[in-house]
Amino acid sequence: MSQAHELARLKRLKEYVKKLGHQQVVQQSGISSAQLYRYLQGTPIPHERLVRLAQLGNVSTDWLLHGESQALLRVDEIV
């Protein structure tokens, strides 16, 4: 994975968590705050957790990982 691709993925993930709210993501995903922080710093996300994150925000895993396919809802529409 190229550095530019990784930076774009992290930017999408950070925007996603900001829109949903860090605390909401932690409470509804079962991911600890410390682990979520590590994911936001670039630690790879296991598939089952990635799927759960996508479900929480009604976005596709392809969008979270690659920016491919449109988000099912735009990130700015997530309440």
Side-chain angles (χ1 to χ4, degrees):
M1 182 179 312
S2 73
Q3 185 175 1
H5 181 80
E6 179 64 14
L7 290 174
R9 183 188 68 81
L10 288 174
K11 181 179 178 183
R12 271 189 309 282
L13 183 60
K14 287 175 183 179
E15 289 175 1
Y16 170 85
V17 170
K18 182 179 178 181
K19 293 291 182 182
L20 281 178
H22 184 94
Q23 195 61 31
Q24 180 179 339
V25 172
V26 167
Q27 290 174 345
Q28 294 183 1
S29 70
I31 298 170
S32 71
S33 186
Q35 187 61 52
L36 181 57
Y37 176 78
R38 286 189 285 274
Y39 295 152
L40 293 170
Q41 298 306 309
T43 299
I45 304 172
H47 178 73
E48 64 278 356
R49 290 197 173 168
L50 180 69
V51 168
R52 182 66 184 133
L53 287 172
Q55 289 171 339
L56 282 175
N58 197 29
V59 297
S60 71
T61 55
D62 284 340
W63 178 80
L64 276 174
L65 284 176
H66 309 291
E68 295 173 359
S69 124
Q70 291 183 328
L72 299 177
L73 287 177
R74 291 191 334 245
V75 171
D76 61 345
E77 292 177 338
I78 299 172
V79 183

